[in-house]
Amino acid sequence: MERFQKIVCHETYKQTYEKLQELEKDREFCGHDMEHFLSVARISYLMVLEKNLDIPKDIIYATAFLHDMGRADQYEKGISHDEAGAILAEEILKDCGYTAAERKIMVDTILKHRDVEEKEDSFAAIFYRADKLSRDCIHCKARQECYWPQEKKNSRYIY
């Protein structure tokens, strides 16, 4: 997890995270903060363990902590947050010592984290599901106004 620790200490990561928090300070729907990133990481990790997949913990956590960071560019520049996040992730991951093959897995997962059409046991499919399961729809104050269809809202805890 040493490389993962470098991500959260990376100057670009810290600046982008601060900018994202400022841009979302009045957001009434689910936010993109450390609580969300940790939930996605932990749920993804549990799912990977349950399926006995060989995906290192630091890759799971790195992907989770980077997957929504492109939202700052989405708000400011109007580009999709998955594309912006993939560009940002590539830069940060390279600086933090991840190999080209590892970066490809993580960047591809970030690009697909909103709409994945992969086999069920792929990292991208697991990550997609974990991202959705991380939301606490049960206790959300904006549940009635949320744009998620009722059938997609989490009505019970699985992880």
Side-chain angles (χ1 to χ4, degrees):
M1 292 284 283
E2 186 176 319
R3 295 182 300 176
F4 166 71
Q5 296 301 327
K6 289 180 182 179
I7 292 170
V8 295
C9 294
H10 192 281
E11 199 55 42
T12 300
Y13 183 89
K14 292 190 304 188
Q15 289 172 2
T16 305
Y17 181 78
E18 287 177 25
K19 184 189 305 183
L20 178 57
Q21 297 317 293
E22 178 62 28
L23 290 166
E24 287 194 342
K25 71 180 179 202
D26 296 323
R27 183 179 167 95
E28 61 185 295
F29 301 111
C30 298
H32 304 92
D33 55 13
M34 288 299 159
E35 182 178 350
H36 173 59
F37 301 157
L38 271 171
S39 292
V40 174
R42 291 171 175 158
I43 293 168
S44 295
Y45 186 60
L46 288 170
M47 294 171 84
V48 164
L49 289 175
E50 287 176 350
K51 294 183 179 290
N52 293 315
L53 300 176
D54 187 24
I55 303 170
K57 186 177 181 180
D58 73 315
I59 287 180
I60 296 167
Y61 273 70
T63 306
F65 272 67
L66 289 163
H67 82 282
D68 278 332
M69 294 298 284
R71 286 216 174 247
D73 279 348
Q74 179 178 325
Y75 297 139
E76 293 184 328
K77 300 174 185 173
I79 60 175
S80 72
H81 81 272
D82 41 338
E83 290 177 22
I87 294 166
L88 181 67
E90 179 67 37
E91 172 195 333
I92 292 172
L93 292 167
K94 191 173 186 179
D95 287 350
C96 294
Y98 287 88
T99 68
E102 291 170 329
R103 292 193 312 268
K104 178 163 180 31
I105 291 166
M106 292 184 275
V107 168
D108 285 351
T109 298
I110 291 168
L111 285 168
K112 297 174 185 174
H113 84 272
R114 293 186 331 158
D115 184 30
V116 68
E117 292 182 18
E118 301 258 336
K119 65 180 188 158
E120 188 177 318
D121 286 348
S122 72
F123 180 46
I126 288 169
F127 193 86
Y128 169 83
R129 188 153 186 256
D131 189 30
K132 303 308 173 235
L133 289 171
S134 72
R135 300 308 189 170
D136 184 13
C137 301
I138 297 167
H139 296 101
C140 182
K141 294 178 215 164
R143 183 178 177 89
Q144 299 305 318
E145 296 80 30
C146 181
Y147 56 85
W148 273 21
Q150 192 62 37
E151 65 274 5
K152 283 193 172 190
K153 291 179 182 172
N154 296 317
S155 60
R156 62 190 179 108
Y157 296 113
I158 298 173
Y159 290 94

